[in-house]
Amino acid sequence: MLKNLWLRRAITVGALGAILAVAATAASLSWVRGSAAGHVYDVNDVPAAPVALVLGAQINPGGQPSPFLEARLEIARQLYESGKVTAILVSGDHANWDYDEPGGMMVWLVSHGVPVSRVVLDHAGFDTYDSCSRARRIFGVRQAIVVTQNFHIERAVAVCRALGIDTTGVGDDTVRRYRQTWLRGEIREEFAAVKAAGDVLSRRDPIFLGKHETGVEDALG
């Protein structure tokens, strides 16, 4: 009898937990989509802004950007070449010296015609929230075009806007041909939206905060 009672309670608690999880996910996705609505553009149509914020992704051995990251960098290059932005802030993971996302991003941009003086490195962009938070609090960015893949762009725009950056976004879909990786990214967004909402509500500090850096100001001249 007692065993059955505990079983029923466990089932009830599990069901309530599942309902709450579904509700939290639905609410978070609704916030992301609502916040980003009207602020996501094609590379040719996006309004000009002082800075392009390129979010990091995998760097392969030897410092070569993965296809997903290279696609983001190509968008940033086009934005610079067309005069839509003046500076490019590359934000990624450089927690270990032998793995350097922003360094690899800078090398790619410079090798594709962007002056090194226009590229600014954020070595502590460990996730979307940290990249947006540091762009605002460390680099003083007030207006930006954030660049990432299409499945991620709404969350990136929503987070940056919530943290005080007047943000538009340009997403890439040229790497959709990598179907399994793209699908994993789409699925991940279902859960990442909940974390993003929690981060924004808590207003947590990024993993590394530090002092104000003048890189963006210098790049803007």
Side-chain angles (χ1 to χ4, degrees), residues 19-186:
I19 291 170
L20 289 174
V22 170
T25 301
S28 299
L29 288 170
S30 178
W31 164 70
V32 164
R33 289 163 183 163
S35 297
H39 302 293
V40 176
Y41 294 85
D42 180 85
V43 65
N44 296 314
D45 300 326
V46 65
V51 180
L53 171 59
V54 185
L55 301 181
Q58 182 181 345
I59 288 283
N60 293 325
Q64 177 65 29
S66 63
F68 280 68
L69 183 53
E70 187 170 11
R72 301 178 189 188
L73 294 168
E74 172 58 22
I75 288 175
R77 186 198 66 78
Q78 291 179 33
L79 291 172
Y80 178 80
E81 188 176 72
S82 65
K84 292 288 183 75
V85 301
T86 302
I88 300 174
L89 176 59
V90 293
S91 181
D93 184 349
H94 190 191
N96 299 312
W97 285 111
D98 60 350
Y99 183 78
D100 183 1
E101 289 180 2
M105 295 159 79
M106 179 191 70
V107 168
W108 190 96
L109 287 167
V110 172
S111 69
H112 286 77
V114 179
V116 67
S117 61
R118 300 298 186 182
V119 183
V120 184
L121 282 70
D122 175 12
H123 294 277
F126 298 121
D127 63 14
T128 302
Y129 179 90
D130 281 21
S131 291
C132 292
S133 181
R134 285 176 54 82
R136 178 68 173 80
R137 298 173 66 181
I138 301 300
F139 294 93
V141 175
R142 300 293 189 273
Q143 183 182 13
I145 302 170
V146 66
V147 181
T148 182
Q149 262 69 50
N150 275 344
F151 57 73
H152 179 206
I153 192 63
E154 289 182 328
R155 176 164 60 92
V157 169
V159 171
C160 282
R161 293 186 69 83
L163 295 179
I165 302 174
D166 180 8
T167 309
T168 54
V170 176
D172 165 75
D173 68 355
T174 64
V175 290
R176 190 185 289 269
R177 64 187 183 276
Y178 298 97
R179 294 181 181 179
Q180 290 187 342
T181 305
W182 187 276
L183 179 60
R184 285 197 298 270
E186 289 182 324

